[in-house]
Amino acid sequence: MDSDPVKDLADEPVDHRFKGLPPDAHTAGLTVGQLTAQRRDLHTGGFTTPVLTLDADALEHNLTALGTYAARHALAFAPHGKTCMAPQLFRRQLDHGAWGITAAVPHQARVYRAFGIQRVFLANELVDPAALRWVAAELAADPGFRFVCYVDSVRGVHLMDRALRDAPAVIDVVVELGAGEGARTGARSDADCRAVADAVADAATLRLVGIAGYEAEVPDADPERVHAYLRRLTGLAVEFDKAGRFDAYPDLEEIIVSAGGSAWFDAVADAFGEMPELSRPTLKLLRSGAYVSHDHGWYTRLTPFNRHPEEGGLRPAFRLWTQVVSRPSPTQAFVNAGKRDIAYDLGLPTAELVRDALTGEERPAAGVRVVKLSDQHAWLETDSPDDVQVGDWVALGMSHPCTIFEKWPLIPVVESDGTVSDYVRTFF
């Protein structure tokens, strides 16, 4: 019987590659699965600081919340895997109804395939010849594999066609409509999109299957501007369909219309819900990814559930436990985690909890603020000499999951009572 690559992750040895895990587990030669079976306590089970954790209840809550949301709004769902790059979480997302997983670059798609992902949406134009040939070979070798990627330029289409002339499979593409001047990728005008689609029609190696975009890149984004961009996106899909641009592919079973980050998926649901029927069934594909762990800053402020609390909510699942290693003055302290451990591209972390080194009692981190980061230290400012002491554990909340996961290759999943019940492996 073929092995399961996700389950096989439990056979990895617990060793020096993984920060924060118990040194005695390495000494004893334990595997990840054996350490998991021991169900150690995070604070008394030999874990060292700093150590990043995921809250088990928050993870399950978030997976359920967006899976339910997508189903309620008749959206297919391909969460962006670059947020976490964790095959165990991909598996759980698929179990909660995800259509597939979104990638940004070929390496991510290769990781997905190594762990059995059958549908990959690459939200970028792919013009690397070696990567294109790899995709074509994967498609030829596995009839059940579905791959879709962006195209946003005529030159890009020509490069793809050139690389694929002798390839064993045709690659499905969607034209990317840019979110406006000053935004990131994507064809800037409707005319540009038409020109790209014309180029695809002339390329025997490619098949046009839809339209896509990314509404979070709308300049000066607000509800009105984001809705306007998304209606432009869906209008272009309707125009392409009426013009017969998909009729050249009689075996095309559905038209893909895709958008969706984690800040405006309510607008995506609105605009996609307003779409008229097309000549073929429409796969309305949402790509939000940061929801799985949520955060303590950027996405907490921007989540659409703030605008529509009746739809549900998300919970921050990350917590970075650090330790006070220096208290040089009554208003200053240093913990042993810095830029190499902490996501900081969208703001400094926040101090959430303090765990007393002597009693094990936890309290809110009132009066404790992170004011600066060095490579291996976070600088704390405190209101009172009693706020923290050397040896105390301080839990930090961070913003932007994409740059949190990448710093931690194996992350303990912690139950509400402190028991570590699983370990999530990441691949960046």
Side-chain angles (χ1 to χ4, degrees):
M1 185 174 66
D2 293 338
S3 64
D4 182 333
V6 175
K7 292 181 179 178
D8 289 346
L9 291 171
D11 296 330
E12 280 197 276
V14 178
D15 57 26
H16 59 277
R17 295 171 296 164
F18 306 128
K19 299 187 288 186
L21 299 194
D24 67 284
H26 183 190
T27 303
L30 298 183
T31 65
V32 173
Q34 289 168 334
L35 182 59
T36 303
Q38 291 183 356
R39 295 181 60 83
R40 297 194 185 192
D41 183 272
L42 177 69
H43 299 289
T44 62
F47 293 86
T48 63
T49 56
V51 58
L52 181 70
T53 65
L54 284 164
D55 182 290
D57 292 338
L59 268 181
E60 181 58 30
H61 171 86
N62 294 344
L63 288 163
T64 300
L66 212 56
T68 300
Y69 181 90
R72 185 162 58 242
H73 290 276
L75 298 171
F77 189 34
H80 212 314
K82 58 94 176 177
T83 302
C84 61
M85 288 303 292
Q88 291 142 289
L89 297 184
F90 299 159
R91 177 70 58 85
R92 292 179 67 176
Q93 289 171 317
L94 294 170
D95 289 344
H96 280 80
W99 171 89
I101 305 294
T102 296
V105 292
H107 162 71
Q108 293 168 0
R110 289 180 63 198
V111 173
Y112 301 174
R113 289 298 288 158
F115 288 92
I117 302 301
Q118 287 294 89
R119 291 172 177 159
V120 175
F121 186 102
L122 196 147
N124 241 334
E125 186 166 69
L126 182 58
V127 293
D128 184 297
L132 285 163
R133 288 192 290 269
W134 171 80
V135 170
E138 287 288 300
L139 290 166
D142 182 358
F145 176 42
R146 180 84 192 275
F147 178 88
V148 181
C149 72
Y150 282 177
V151 286
D152 78 348
S153 66
V154 171
R155 178 178 170 85
V157 170
H158 290 164
L159 289 171
M160 295 176 75
D161 184 48
R162 179 179 178 180
L164 292 166
R165 291 277 169 83
D166 298 321
V170 171
I171 289 182
D172 286 348
V173 297
V174 291
V175 173
E176 183 195 6
L177 172 67
E181 291 302 324
R184 204 154 59 189
T185 59
R188 288 297 190 254
S189 70
D190 291 5
D192 290 339
C193 289
R194 296 183 194 108
V196 174
D198 288 341
V200 173
D202 291 336
T205 60
L206 304 176
R207 182 173 75 155
L208 181 67
V209 299
I211 301 287
Y214 182 45
E215 75 290 343
E217 283 292 310
V218 170
D220 302 315
D222 62 21
E224 183 177 356
R225 290 186 178 93
V226 170
H227 278 85
Y229 164 72
L230 289 166
R231 290 181 181 124
R232 186 177 158 215
L233 179 75
T234 58
L236 197 60
V238 172
E239 177 200 311
F240 275 24
D241 188 43
K242 287 183 177 178
R245 290 188 178 275
F246 303 113
D247 293 343
Y249 314 103
D251 59 340
L252 181 63
E253 296 180 354
E254 61 189 6
I255 298 169
I256 296 175
V257 182
S258 179
S262 292
W264 294 101
F265 54 75
D266 57 328
V268 174
D270 290 343
F272 285 12
E274 296 168 357
M275 275 190 67
E277 289 189 7
L278 303 182
S279 62
R280 292 169 172 80
T282 306
L283 184 74
K284 301 174 182 179
L285 192 62
L286 180 68
R287 304 193 309 271
S288 307
Y291 81 99
V292 67
S293 60
H294 203 40
D295 71 2
H296 288 82
W298 183 257
Y299 287 111
T300 297
R301 294 189 295 273
L302 294 178
T303 176
F305 290 131
N306 289 340
R307 297 186 287 272
H308 303 283
E310 74 282 358
E311 292 270 22
L314 300 172
R315 300 177 189 169
F318 277 120
R319 183 166 284 165
L320 178 65
W321 283 100
T322 66
Q323 194 166 27
V324 179
V325 293
S326 181
R327 188 72 155 111
S329 78
T331 60
Q332 191 177 40
F334 293 85
V335 294
N336 60 346
K339 293 178 181 178
R340 299 184 184 279
D341 314 294
I342 294 170
Y344 59 93
D345 59 315
L346 293 179
L348 291 171
T350 57
E352 301 288 327
L353 293 172
V354 175
R355 181 181 176 88
D356 191 283
L358 298 177
T359 67
E361 294 180 358
E362 293 181 8
R363 62 182 185 275
V368 181
R369 294 168 297 281
V370 179
V371 295
K372 183 179 176 180
L373 295 178
S374 298
D375 285 351
Q376 303 288 182
H377 292 100
W379 300 50
L380 304 186
E381 180 182 79
T382 61
D383 290 343
S384 164
D386 299 324
D387 288 336
V388 294
Q389 301 295 334
V390 170
D392 289 349
W393 284 33
V394 179
L396 303 180
M398 295 172 290
S399 185
H400 199 193
C402 301
T403 54
I404 299 173
F405 276 102
E406 69 178 16
K407 299 175 186 295
W408 293 87
L410 193 62
I411 306 171
V413 178
V414 183
E415 304 289 337
S416 58
D417 64 356
T419 300
V420 177
S421 58
D422 200 1
Y423 296 83
V424 168
R425 184 72 159 92
T426 66
F427 293 85
F428 281 92

